[in-house]
Amino acid sequence: MVHDPEPPKCATTTCPRPPTPLEDRAFSTFPSFGSMGAWLEALDLGRYKDSFTAAGYGSLEAVATMTAQDLASLGISSAEHREALLSGISALRARVLQLQGQGVQV
């Protein structure tokens, strides 16, 4: 039996989790975010808060109506950021519809 002199990586310490892709950070728990800013921070995209606010998307309800064109008009050039935002917007939209179906005013 051959013994490898190098111990396996992470053998004595906790292995770090690989980073979660931005598009997997879209949260569908709409009510758990108190604001658009908190939602953007949860997606690690808080840098866009001022742009969203200046364009009139200061609430989660307004964000839920956004399209890819709206993101482009905000100057969000990173494809990864646009994908993450669109995924999050889609989850918000679905949650709004679900809440409205339950008679909750959003």
Side-chain angles (χ1 to χ4, degrees):
M1 187 180 231
V2 177
H3 180 66
D4 185 5
E6 290 290 316
K9 291 189 190 308
C10 301
T12 59
T13 61
T14 303
C15 292
R17 289 184 355 189
T20 305
L22 287 175
E23 62 270 11
D24 292 342
R25 296 182 194 164
F27 300 95
S28 60
T29 54
F30 181 83
S32 70
F33 298 103
S35 68
M36 170 273 296
W39 176 77
L40 285 171
E41 288 296 332
L43 292 171
D44 288 336
L45 296 172
R47 68 192 73 148
Y48 297 118
K49 180 180 178 186
D50 290 340
S51 298
F52 273 56
T53 302
Y57 299 105
S59 70
L60 290 173
E61 293 84 358
V63 170
T65 68
M66 292 179 79
T67 65
Q69 183 61 38
D70 295 326
L71 295 177
S73 71
L74 291 178
I76 300 171
S77 58
S78 166
E80 184 180 14
H81 291 181
R82 282 193 316 269
E83 287 176 30
L85 288 165
L86 285 172
S87 181
I89 290 166
S90 177
L92 285 176
R93 193 174 294 131
R95 186 65 178 142
V96 166
L97 291 173
Q98 180 184 22
L99 290 172
Q100 288 175 341
Q102 295 172 355
V104 177
Q105 184 70 30
V106 288

